[in-house]
Structures are given as C-alpha cells and as structure tokens.
Amino acid sequence: MMVGRPLVELDNVTVAYRAGDRQHVAVTDVNLEVSRGAFVSVVGPTGCGKSTVLNVVAGLLAPTSGGVRIDGTSLWGRNTRAGYLFQQDTLLPWKTVLENVCLGLELAGVDRAERREQARDWLSRVGLSGFEDAHPHQLSGGMRKRTAVAQVCVCGPEILLMDEPFSALDAQTRQLMENELLTLWTEAGTTVLFVTHDLDEAVSLSDEIVLFSAGPASTVARRYEVDLPRPRDLMRIRTARRFGELYEAVWSDLRKEVMKAHGRRDTVGHG
Amino acid sequence: MAVATRSVTADQADAPRRRLGARGTITAARVLVALVVVGGWELAARLTVLDPFFFSQPSDVARLLREWLVSGEILDDLVVTVGEAFGALLIGTILGLITGFLLARSPFLDAVFAPYVKLLNAVPRVVLAPIFLLWFGLGEASKVAFGVSLVFFVVFFNTYQGVREVDRVLVDSVRMLGANERQLARHVLVPSALAWIFSGLRVSIGFAIVGAVVGEYLGASRGVGYVIAQAQGVFDTTGVFAGIVLLSVVVGLIDVVVHRLERHLLRWKPERTQGFQPS
C-alpha cells in the first residue's frame, strides 16, 4: 500500500436533515482519511448513517458543516473521480446490457466504436460475454450486479464507493462476486470505500475497518487495521486464526453499538 | 448463471402454450357475444319488440354504411374529423409534455401553477365549446381547440406522474456516471416517462376524437359529428348509428396501430398480462 497524502479526507463532516419540524442529525464530526489504493470498509448498526457518509463522498449530498477533500482539493458538487455502486438495481431497464455499460463513456463523449469496444472488454471480464443484447429484466440478480460493476468500472474511477452492493444476492453468488471484486481491485489499484452490515465481508476484503457508533448523530467509533496477508483466497480466509481474532475484536465493539441502537429504538417505541 | 437461463427459457416456453389453448376459447366466446347482441337487436327490431324508428336495426345500419363507403361521400367528412382530432392530439400532446416536464422538474413552477392546472381541469369541457366556437369560428380551428382542452390534461398528468415517479436511485446512479441535466432527461426521465405517456396517449386519441365530434355536433358544416347531428335532426336513427359505428371502427384501428408502436418502444418491459389499461 502506498503511503502519502490520503486520497479521500473527511473533515468534521456533519449532516443534518429537517424532518418535519425536528432536526435530525444523521452523522456528526466524522473524520476519516482513505489512502490511495486502500480498501476501507465502513460497518455499524442500522441507521448509523453509513450511506450518508458515502453520499457525501460522492458529492450527491452536501454536508451541513465540515468538508470533503479529494486529493487535497475541496469537493464541490459531484465527485467526478468516483464511481458509485448502489445496493439497489440501477441498470436502466430500457437499455440493453451493452448500452448500460456504454452509458458512462457515452455521457463523457467517447465515440461509439471506442466505447463499445471498452464495454465489451469489461463485460467479458465480469463473465457476461454473449449477454450484450439482453435487457436487464432477463438477467438474474447476480448477473445484473456484474453488469453494474462493469458499468461503473468501465469509466475507470479512481475511487469506488460501494453501498452494500451484494446484500441482495444469495450466499454463493455473493462470495463469487466478492472474489471477483478483489481480483478487479488488485488489477486496477482503485481506492475502495465499502459500506456493509456484514462483518465477515468487511474483514475478508478490507485493509481497514471503520466502525460507526449507533445513530442518530453517529460518528467514527473506532478503526481497525486488517493485517491479513494479500492476495487473499476468500474461500479459505474465513478459517484462518487471524481472521477469527480480527472478527472477534470488531464484533465485540460492534455488538455494543448494535445493543445501543436497539435500546434507543425501544425507548422511543415505549415513550 | 445456468439457473437463470433455464428459468427464462422455461417461462418463455410455457406461457404461450398455456395462452394458446385459452385463446381459441376466448375468441369463440367473443364472437358469440357479438352474435348474441347484434342478432338479438336485429331480431327484436324485426319482431318490433324494439321500435325500428327509434332503434333502427343492424342490417339497415350496415346497408347505409356500405352506401356511404361506396359513394365515398362520408370519406370527406371522415378526413375532416380525423384531421381535427389529429391536430388536437398533436398540439395537446406537445403542450402537455412540455408543461408536465417543467412542472415535474421545477418545484417552484409546480407550486405556482399546480392549483391553476387543477382548477382548469375541473371545468366541464363541454361548456368551453360555445366559447371556442365564438373565438375560432365554425371551421376546423374551434374543434381542434376543443380537442386540445381535453387531450392536454391527460398528457400533462401522465407526463408529470411519469417524470416524478422516476426511481431516485436511478437518477443518482446516472448522475454519478457523469450525466448533466440534459443527458439525465434524455437517458432516464424521458424513457421512464414513456410508459406513462403512452398509456396517456391512447386515452388521448379517444379524447381527441370526442373533441372533434362534439365540436362538429354543436356547430359545423362538415365532419362525422355534423353528419350525426344532421341525421338526428331528421330522426334518422340509422344515420346516427352508422356514424357511431364508423367512428368506433376508425378509433379502434388507430388504437391497434398505437398499441403496436407502444409495444415496440416499450419492448424492454417484462410482458404484462392482458386486460384494461388504467387511464
């Protein structure tokens, strides 16, 4: 991993919404740096504002106070150096697989022959050659997710933001996709910010895990370095002793936050 | 991957076979319904259970229709009516699309104009016909204007809904891929609204014809509505029915063409089940 100026920096980021006549603080005073080329996972109990942080880095959501710097420059508007892989299906249903993958390049004004070639290349990398002319509703969930990966990656983003991208997939497909993601990440050297509620996934993929405290007004509770050796074989890594230790360490803290989140919700429920 | 492919082909193979068996029965039942209604009407008129003076009878209506078509005199009227309807459809759709898009995308315009649109839509359209006759005269322009007042709101509400209902995350995703506002409209908002716009378009065609015919009925010198009004003026029920049948057939044919077009443009959608379109 390269050491130097962090690629992504969050400086005391606070995001508050107005919900009716009440002020709802989603996250408060979040400070976070992500080094170039690192794979960083964000975990935390439900409703802790993980996705909010991702949206702020994407530039889709402006922080109420604080700021984001990308490569030292303050972020204003959409983060043009980032690609975003959402939890939901985001393929355009009226476009074919190939047209969907071409979209980012088309928007950037790349000419037709060039963008088709690159899109085909990415489709073969995610194992979808031969499905160019299918429409998304004809594909399985895993295939749609692969197409989405190709759609985002073909634009060559420096930063890849992922919001529980595999949570809707079944366990086997999910593990395959995680493996493929690691391979792609190793090849491309992209910086990844990965939101997940699955600790297993976080430990096996990341260089670093960031734990968020229970919401509302959640913030970075703790950070853990994951010193498992790379390259990693995801099919075996879960049985390694160090994996178990790391998992235990994060889980003991995460459990406390989860209990807190539950407690608060119960109090609100009874009150 | 294999599982997905298999399930797709299985669905595609099974569904038509099941439908094909039912289709024969359905067609037979449909023909039967038509025979019972038309035959019953003819029989009742011949036995004078229904007074032929007020109810006419299918054989007379068919005879008159043939006369009209053979002599070709009705074709001029039909061309006028369809032309008026087409004009109303074109102008009403363009205005409805633009207004619907603007109001759906701009909260400010929406807040300012929404009550007025609702207010105007609440006006029973028939009371506007006399005003349009005064403003635009007895010619075709007043019928087009009347049709526009009907078509506009259908297209407007459908476009408005279609653009507003666009999945938020689709918009975010395409934004992150680098789309500006114009590209967003082209790649996401317009296609997503297309289904709504089309379901509105088919209703609009009916309304456009209604606009033309009612306008002609209230005051004109040409058109199918005028022919029907003339027939009614001399208690010629056969003429009235012949006009009605002619209009239904023409609207039905146009609807088939538009439906084909819609199916082609919306071929990315999973197949829908048959039935009435919500409108």
Side-chain angles (χ1 to χ4, degrees), chain B:
Chain B
M1 203 188 294
V3 176
T5 326
R6 206 185 315 135
S7 78
V8 166
T9 40
D11 278 356
Q12 281 169 347
D14 273 7
R17 209 183 308 140
R18 233 180 295 129
R19 251 182 263 145
L20 212 63
R23 196 176 284 167
T25 325
I26 289 170
T27 311
R30 278 180 184 164
V31 172
L32 192 69
V33 169
L35 282 178
V36 167
V37 171
V38 177
W41 177 10
E42 180 75 34
L43 197 68
R46 293 206 175 191
L47 299 172
T48 63
V49 179
L50 290 175
D51 185 348
F53 180 76
F54 289 113
F55 290 92
S56 184
Q57 58 194 62
S59 54
D60 283 350
V61 173
R63 203 172 303 127
L64 182 62
L65 270 175
R66 213 180 57 208
E67 255 171 57
W68 280 357
L69 292 174
V70 168
S71 70
E73 58 178 318
I74 195 68
L75 291 181
D76 293 340
D77 293 301
L78 197 59
V79 165
V80 169
T81 304
V82 171
E84 288 162 355
F86 184 73
L89 189 67
L90 196 70
I91 298 171
T93 300
I94 291 172
L95 291 180
L97 278 179
I98 295 173
T99 324
F101 224 90
L102 285 178
L103 262 58
R105 290 302 289 167
S106 158
F108 176 73
L109 291 178
D110 187 28
V112 173
F113 286 103
Y116 294 110
V117 173
K118 280 184 197 140
L119 195 72
L120 284 176
N121 187 40
V123 175
R125 240 42 61 77
V126 180
V127 304
L128 290 179
I131 289 283
F132 287 149
L133 282 178
L134 286 175
W135 287 351
F136 301 107
L138 284 175
E140 275 122 62
S142 59
K143 283 77 187 173
V144 173
F146 188 46
V148 167
S149 77
L150 289 166
V151 170
F152 170 79
F153 289 97
V154 179
V155 179
F156 167 78
F157 284 120
N158 279 293
T159 309
Y160 182 81
Q161 195 85 352
V163 173
R164 294 273 295 228
E165 305 262 297
V166 171
D167 201 345
R168 176 87 224 146
V169 76
L170 277 192
V171 173
D172 278 347
S173 161
V174 175
R175 269 239 168 84
M176 283 310 291
L177 289 172
N180 57 33
E181 193 66 17
R182 195 179 51 79
Q183 289 170 320
L184 197 64
R186 187 176 145 224
H187 290 283
V188 185
L189 303 178
V190 171
S192 170
L194 207 63
W196 288 84
I197 291 167
F198 258 97
S199 70
L201 201 59
R202 291 172 68 196
V203 178
S204 312
I205 288 171
F207 274 4
I209 299 269
V210 167
V213 173
V214 172
E216 287 164 1
Y217 188 85
L218 291 175
S221 52
R222 294 194 301 167
V224 180
Y226 166 76
V227 171
I228 293 176
Q230 291 294 100
Q232 185 236 355
V234 296
F235 292 99
D236 172 15
T237 357
T238 309
V240 175
F241 274 118
I244 292 170
V245 169
L246 187 70
L247 281 176
S248 315
V249 170
V250 169
V251 176
L253 287 177
I254 295 173
D255 192 59
V256 168
V257 173
V258 174
H259 186 54
R260 285 263 166 89
L261 190 69
E262 181 186 349
R263 270 229 303 248
H264 176 72
L265 287 173
L266 300 180
R267 62 189 177 282
W268 49 268
K269 274 199 149 186
E271 285 242 17
R272 267 176 316 190
T273 42
Q274 264 198 330
F276 290 104
Q277 295 283 319
S279 56

